[in-house]
Amino acid sequence: MKDEIIIGVLAVQGDIEENITAANEALQHMEVRGTAKSVRYSKEINEVDGLIIPGGESTVISSLITIHKGSFQTIKTRISNGMPVMGSCAGMIMLSKRAYDRVVGETKQQLLGNLDIVIERNAFGRQNDSFETDLYIPILGRNAYKGIFIRAPVITEIGNGVNIIAKFNNKTVAVNQKNIIATAFHPELSGDDRLHKHFIKSVLDFRQNQQNSEMRGVGFEPTNP
């Protein structure tokens, strides 16, 4: 198994470079050997240890990624098999099982559906209604986290096994489900790398579990830490 971890950022549309920068800074601050890079095609996605689906325009991301059907299915399958993934704003919409808009109703975009939530798009209004606010996210510690909401969705329904990790005005704006983290806001724009660090920790755990499984598969037992 390779020594360095690879964080892929889905390079279809949206805050790609911002997520690459944020993830690389988090890796550096954690003193973890690894790199974040853009990925798009199935072969590239199969080589990463974790994937970030960035904020942007979910309809565009859905349209472009489904052109590369192999990539869409690879993402869906790898998430189902335990690969950690983090989606913000449009990325959260892509991960959801259903999305609708209060104005146009049900959207026709193809969604990955790995995350058992229902999304209301543009729940806080349009571009002019974008805002920043302090959020309190217990998994990140006691200090407030700056949430940046840009044409942000909210989660209106959650399924079994989905944990709420942040709310704003009694609306659910961040959740996790097993290997999935999803936020309505944009961590990549906050200047605070705690959420990216939390994601990277899940990637390290995933890598360790894979390594332990491989060792057992060839007749070795993993060494206790």
Side-chain angles (χ1 to χ4, degrees):
M1 182 174 287
K2 58 187 182 294
D3 292 331
E4 297 189 357
I5 69 169
I6 300 175
I7 305 296
V9 178
L10 187 61
V12 176
Q13 188 269 343
D15 295 339
I16 299 162
E17 291 300 325
E18 291 87 347
N19 268 291
I20 291 173
T21 298
N24 277 324
E25 287 178 353
L27 286 164
Q28 183 179 6
H29 294 159
M30 296 171 72
E31 298 183 346
V32 172
R33 294 181 61 189
T35 187
K37 66 177 187 178
S38 61
V39 296
R40 180 179 298 179
Y41 303 110
S42 183
K43 182 178 183 297
E44 297 170 323
I45 295 163
N46 269 321
E47 293 173 349
V48 305
D49 300 295
L51 181 69
I52 296 173
I53 304 178
E57 173 47 61
S58 64
T59 305
V60 176
I61 293 174
S62 177
S63 298
L64 292 177
I65 195 61
T66 50
I67 291 173
H68 307 287
K69 292 187 180 298
S71 300
F72 185 91
Q73 190 57 48
T74 297
I75 295 170
K76 187 177 178 69
T77 300
R78 291 215 61 202
I79 296 172
S80 296
N81 290 338
M83 178 188 69
V85 62
M86 180 167 72
S88 61
C89 197
M92 182 173 77
I93 295 171
M94 284 298 302
L95 288 165
S96 70
K97 68 178 184 181
R98 185 167 72 88
Y100 66 92
D101 188 289
R102 66 171 60 185
V103 176
V104 302
E106 292 286 331
T107 65
K108 298 184 182 299
Q109 65 197 108
Q110 188 170 355
L111 305 173
L112 290 161
N114 297 88
L115 180 56
D116 192 6
I117 60 173
V118 176
I119 295 286
E120 179 187 331
R121 294 177 22 155
N122 301 312
F124 295 102
R126 300 295 174 174
Q127 192 77 24
N128 291 340
D129 301 304
S130 301
F131 63 96
E132 300 179 9
T133 189
D134 284 344
L135 300 172
Y136 294 92
I137 307 176
I139 62 171
L140 301 183
R142 298 178 64 181
N143 293 334
Y145 187 95
K146 183 170 72 174
I148 298 177
F149 293 79
I150 303 172
R151 296 180 61 191
V154 295
I155 299 163
T156 57
E157 297 179 31
I158 62 172
N160 292 329
V162 179
N163 301 307
I164 297 171
I165 60 176
K167 283 191 169 187
F168 172 69
N169 285 351
N170 291 320
K171 295 181 178 180
T172 300
V173 295
V175 295
N176 81 284
Q177 175 187 312
K178 295 182 180 179
N179 52 310
I180 302 171
I181 301 170
T183 70
F185 49 90
H186 290 258
E188 69 277 8
L189 302 179
S190 69
D192 185 334
D193 66 2
R194 282 181 291 163
L195 203 50
H196 282 79
K197 285 179 178 176
H198 182 80
F199 172 65
I200 289 168
K201 288 177 184 175
S202 72
V203 174
L204 292 171
D205 290 342
F206 175 64
R207 275 282 301 270
Q208 186 63 56
N209 290 337
Q210 281 189 313
Q211 190 174 40
N212 291 346
S213 296
E214 289 177 7
M215 293 175 68
R216 286 193 292 269
V218 294
F220 292 97
E221 289 297 327
T223 302
N224 291 329

